[in-house]
Amino acid sequence: MAKRVSPDAISSLLANPSPDSSSEVREIVVQVLDLKPTGSKYMFTASDGNMKLKALLQSSLSSEVLSGNIQNLGLIRILDYTVNDIPTKSEKFLIVIKCEVVSAALEAEVKADGKIEESGIILKPKQEMDIKSEVKNDALGIILKPKQEVVAKSAAQIMHEQNGNMAPAARLAMTRRVHPLVSLNPYQGNWTIKVRVTSKGNMRTYKNARGEGCVFNVELTDEDGTQIQATMFNEAARKFYDKFQLGKVYYISKGTLKVANKQFMTVHNDYEMTLNENSEVEEASNEAAFIPETKFNFVPIDQLCPYVNSKELVDVIGVVQNVSPTMSIRRKINNETIPKRDITIADETKKTVVVSLWNDLATNVGQELLNISDKSPIVAIKSLKVGDFQGVTLSALSKSIVVVNPETPESKRLRSWYDAEGKEASLASVGAGMTPTTNSGGRSMYSDRVLLSHITGNPSLGEDKPVFFSIRAYISLIKPDQSMWYRACKTCNKKVTEVIGSGYCCEVCQKYDNECSLRYIMVAKVSDASGEAWVSAFNEQAEKIIGCSADELDKLKFQQEGKTNPFELKLKTATWVPHLFRVSVTTNEYNSEKRQRITVRAVAPIDFAAESRFLLEDISKMKASQ
């Protein structure tokens, strides 16, 4: 008997978008069209010959596609599913959670009359089944075989048989089907999810106009790698804080969802979850555990600037250009020493960025990368903090995940680019050459603009943590007799020790070299209409101020052209030049006396058009406030 699509399959799916259990799903057979991969999953168009619906196979069904069971133009019977709205469009989207193959690929697409365009193809079922009844549609000539005889039982009988002596978690899983996180939305009714706790926050207290309370949150990840943040307040927080254990798998139901506030989110999800004291949380102790699939939402390196100093974490992928040896860093808080390793990565934007790995990531994955660094491995890293230490930098957290040479489309594309042109391309640091118009919330030369007197007149600035400002000022003095640079290792840029007759020794790299490079570490006086101050400038920033590298300036030091010293002339030329500065302000203690330290983090020339717009806007604000 021929196997064909259900004539009203799509209508049935749309009429019942979220069945409470698989027993509610009637016989639904659709044809698979336009099957194609999307990440680790596969998208397709479900067709019943009359209507079509965009669809996605859960990642657990990807093996069926790879094995050749589910094929383009083939037929599948949908056993469990959910239909969601696409938020940005007035369309529906089918997520197939469970299905079985009805037939391999047909010769053509099924038409509206339920028949194959070119010829009627008869397909043998995968196994013989006893036929208790046949459902025939005379109008369309569609014949379907039921999978098995259905014996009518009451819900109470079914639940009694299923639940017998099951543990609470198993009962929770059986009474409702498990929904993937991607299928949840605030308008959904009852649902049950099966998730692993991949991050657990501390219990925090708060105080506001409504009183005092406590709160904590967890990050939950399902088998497909989809993440969501769940927050609990007061009674719910006290009830579930000890119950949620990092790394364990739970069934959760009776929670609520709302649109996420991205400013306070560390996971990529349009929604966030709230659990109250009536929510159900049961550990899946007797259930098969799963390791969540790591899902990435990569940010190109040249687009990292807007994330600087924000709470939002980023994922990156890049080709490893350099791996430093392990360094020991001492924490100021508890004087504890922890290992650190820096890696430099590049991507197709021809930009590089330094990623700092800490603790086990530095000693384990970092050592693996060092061992294969000559092969230019590709690394994908999830959940990185974007900072602005000497430019744009990335730092791993305790929950960061590092995958070396991942099998993803992005990795293959990046490898192809690097082998074809990336090896020979001219690469630049993402923080280099930053202009005042950079779209960066925390780093714009026009954000937090102050006069120098605002900084020098507030000695307490930066006592607890560094504070950042933007200033417009002139370089008024660069002392020629100061130690303007240090001898640095050409590999890691750390300070080297001169060995008489043997070149230079780098204690970090543990190697000798006949040569070294010079890197600026200088102070300069800056002035504006309100006052003046001394600032410290490191290599990249000092090069922009002086106009040449430290090595080039060192060569000028020993040249004499008549009565003029080219070295002093170069410094004099750099003075009384206006610049836009992004500076950090900290307070240090020296000889039992607190001193303010102003460090230049970025330098840019004056863009007079942009500066005029800024001043006009400032004038408008002053007029409006009068």
Side-chain angles (χ1 to χ4, degrees):
M1 194 70 65
K3 285 287 184 180
R4 296 187 180 175
V5 297
S6 306
D8 56 349
I10 305 302
S11 298
S12 300
L13 293 169
L14 297 175
N16 187 15
S18 185
D20 288 335
S21 66
S22 57
S23 61
E24 286 191 18
V25 181
R26 49 154 290 183
E27 182 80 3
I28 298 176
V29 177
V30 297
Q31 187 178 27
V32 176
L33 304 177
D34 303 323
L35 182 64
K36 58 186 177 182
T38 172
S40 61
K41 301 182 181 71
Y42 285 86
M43 295 184 64
F44 70 100
T45 300
S47 171
D48 62 9
N50 183 42
M51 297 178 64
K52 294 181 180 180
L53 183 63
K54 291 181 179 179
L56 176 74
L57 293 171
Q58 280 292 91
S59 60
S60 57
L61 297 172
S62 296
S63 58
E64 292 291 297
V65 180
L66 295 173
S67 65
N69 291 333
I70 297 178
Q71 301 178 7
N72 194 44
L73 296 179
L75 304 183
I76 60 171
R77 179 183 288 109
I78 298 176
L79 304 177
D80 199 2
Y81 69 92
T82 185
V83 178
N84 283 348
D85 292 316
I86 300 178
T88 57
K89 301 178 182 179
S90 57
E91 297 181 38
K92 303 287 185 180
F93 196 87
L94 168 68
I95 298 174
V96 179
I97 300 170
K98 187 178 180 181
C99 71
E100 67 179 16
V101 177
V102 175
S103 85
L106 306 182
E107 290 186 358
E109 181 180 338
V110 174
K111 298 304 177 183
D113 59 359
K115 297 180 180 180
I116 306 301
E117 182 182 24
E118 296 182 3
S119 61
I121 298 175
I122 299 177
L123 300 160
K124 292 182 179 180
K126 295 172 66 177
Q127 59 182 15
E128 285 296 327
M129 289 183 277
D130 293 329
I131 302 174
K132 302 296 181 180
S133 63
E134 291 185 355
V135 182
K136 185 173 182 179
N137 187 320
D138 291 328
L140 297 176
I142 297 172
I143 301 175
L144 299 170
K145 286 184 181 178
K147 290 196 295 179
Q148 58 186 22
E149 180 182 9
V150 179
V151 180
K153 294 181 181 180
S154 68
Q157 286 176 311
I158 295 173
M159 291 307 301
H160 178 74
E161 291 176 3
Q162 290 180 339
N163 294 352
N165 297 315
M166 286 182 180
R171 290 200 298 273
L172 186 58
M174 292 297 295
T175 53
R176 299 193 190 103
R177 70 185 180 87
V178 174
H179 287 66
L181 284 177
V182 72
S183 70
L184 301 186
N185 61 68
Y187 314 105
Q188 218 163 331
N190 293 332
W191 44 258
T192 298
I193 57 175
K194 183 179 180 182
V195 289
R196 185 182 292 274
V197 178
T198 48
S199 179
K200 179 181 176 180
N202 296 321
M203 183 76 79
R204 310 185 304 276
T205 57
Y206 65 88
K207 186 176 182 180
N208 56 28
R210 291 176 291 181
E212 298 181 358
C214 57
V215 60
F216 91 102
N217 54 53
V218 291
E219 290 178 12
L220 308 172
T221 309
D222 68 3
E223 191 170 4
D224 296 325
T226 305
Q227 291 184 301
I228 196 167
Q229 180 174 293
T231 305
M232 287 138 279
F233 293 91
N234 303 324
E235 290 302 320
R238 288 185 280 269
K239 177 180 178 181
F240 295 122
Y241 185 78
D242 292 329
K243 192 173 189 71
F244 277 123
Q245 298 296 319
L246 188 65
K248 291 188 175 181
V249 178
Y250 298 86
Y251 288 103
I252 301 176
S253 66
K254 297 185 179 178
T256 58
L257 278 87
K258 64 178 182 179
V259 176
N261 184 346
K262 297 296 180 67
Q263 184 180 355
F264 302 104
M265 290 289 289
T266 58
V267 299
H268 295 285
N269 199 312
D270 292 333
Y271 305 113
E272 56 183 316
M273 184 182 297
T274 302
L275 302 179
N276 56 41
E277 56 268 29
N278 297 319
S279 299
E280 295 181 6
V281 177
E282 294 293 342
E283 184 182 347
S285 54
N286 297 323
E287 294 287 314
F290 62 87
I291 299 176
E293 173 193 346
T294 303
K295 293 179 69 175
F296 295 95
N297 185 19
F298 295 121
V299 176
I301 293 177
D302 70 340
Q303 296 178 24
L304 288 172
C305 292
Y307 298 91
V308 169
N309 294 329
S310 74
K311 294 185 178 181
E312 190 172 354
L313 304 181
V314 301
D315 306 341
V316 297
I317 186 171
V319 182
V320 176
Q321 301 291 290
N322 181 58
V323 182
S324 78
T326 304
M327 298 168 275
S328 294
I329 304 298
R330 193 178 298 278
R331 283 178 171 168
K332 291 183 180 179
I333 299 175
N334 53 14
N335 214 31
E336 178 187 359
T337 300
I338 57 174
K340 174 194 176 186
R341 191 190 300 267
D342 288 339
I343 65 172
T344 303
I345 62 173
D347 68 3
E348 294 162 287
T349 63
K350 297 183 180 180
K351 294 292 185 180
T352 64
V353 67
V354 175
V355 183
S356 296
L357 304 179
W358 304 86
N359 297 312
D360 290 342
L361 288 178
T363 55
N364 297 336
V365 180
Q367 185 61 43
E368 178 187 352
L369 290 172
L370 182 62
N371 294 340
I372 60 174
S373 58
D374 58 324
K375 299 178 181 177
S376 300
I378 290 176
V379 63
I381 311 177
K382 185 173 185 63
S383 300
L384 291 168
K385 177 73 176 174
V386 187
D388 63 352
F389 178 71
Q390 295 185 8
V392 178
T393 56
L394 299 174
S395 182
L397 307 174
S398 58
K399 63 181 178 181
S400 299
I401 299 173
V402 181
V403 181
V404 180
N405 291 324
E407 292 293 330
T408 63
E410 294 89 350
S411 177
K412 293 176 182 177
R413 186 171 63 247
L414 188 58
R415 173 58 65 193
S416 298
W417 166 79
Y418 188 74
D419 291 342
E421 60 174 299
K423 286 181 180 179
E424 309 299 330
S426 176
L427 305 176
S429 171
V430 65
M434 224 173 223
T435 64
T437 55
T438 300
N439 182 22
S440 167
R443 297 181 54 84
S444 170
M445 294 294 186
Y446 296 105
S447 65
D448 312 313
R449 176 73 76 85
V450 297
L451 294 171
L452 281 173
S453 59
H454 175 81
I455 300 174
T456 57
N458 291 275
S460 61
L461 285 175
E463 282 188 347
D464 299 326
K465 61 180 181 179
V467 290
F468 295 84
F469 299 103
S470 296
I471 59 174
R472 176 187 172 182
Y474 287 83
I475 299 291
S476 54
L477 176 63
I478 303 174
K479 289 183 178 181
D481 57 346
Q482 64 175 301
S483 299
M484 296 186 63
W485 48 69
Y486 68 94
R487 291 186 175 93
C489 173
K490 288 190 172 183
T491 301
C492 67
N493 293 330
K494 300 297 180 182
K495 188 175 182 179
V496 296
T497 303
E498 186 175 2
V499 181
I500 299 175
S502 301
Y504 304 91
C505 172
C506 176
E507 294 182 2
V508 176
C509 296
Q510 292 294 314
K511 68 177 185 180
Y512 293 90
D513 199 327
N514 292 327
E515 297 180 348
C516 67
S517 61
L518 300 180
R519 291 179 65 83
Y520 284 114
I521 177 169
M522 71 172 199
V523 293
K525 183 184 286 187
V526 295
S527 305
D528 68 4
S530 69
E532 57 187 17
W534 289 97
V535 299
S536 300
F538 294 100
N539 195 60
E540 287 77 10
Q541 291 73 37
E543 283 186 356
K544 293 179 182 178
I545 294 171
I546 302 296
C548 67
S549 68
D551 287 304
E552 293 170 335
L553 188 61
D554 181 54
K555 293 176 182 178
L556 297 178
K557 202 168 188 179
F558 302 101
Q559 296 179 12
Q560 189 73 28
E561 298 176 1
K563 295 181 180 181
T564 305
N565 186 313
F567 171 79
E568 294 182 358
L569 182 60
K570 190 71 175 177
L571 297 184
K572 188 175 181 180
T573 304
T575 58
W576 299 113
V577 177
H579 296 279
L580 296 179
F581 298 97
R582 185 71 178 168
V583 299
S584 65
V585 182
T586 57
T587 302
N588 298 328
E589 192 168 312
Y590 183 75
N591 289 338
S592 300
E593 180 184 349
K594 287 187 176 181
R595 292 186 176 183
Q596 199 174 60
R597 181 181 176 89
I598 306 173
T599 305
V600 177
R601 299 299 183 183
V603 184
I606 301 291
D607 181 337
F608 290 100
E611 189 71 14
S612 299
R613 288 192 295 269
F614 171 77
L615 292 174
L616 287 171
E617 185 178 342
D618 217 18
I619 292 170
S620 299
K621 289 179 181 178
M622 293 172 63
K623 285 184 176 180
S625 63
Q626 291 177 353

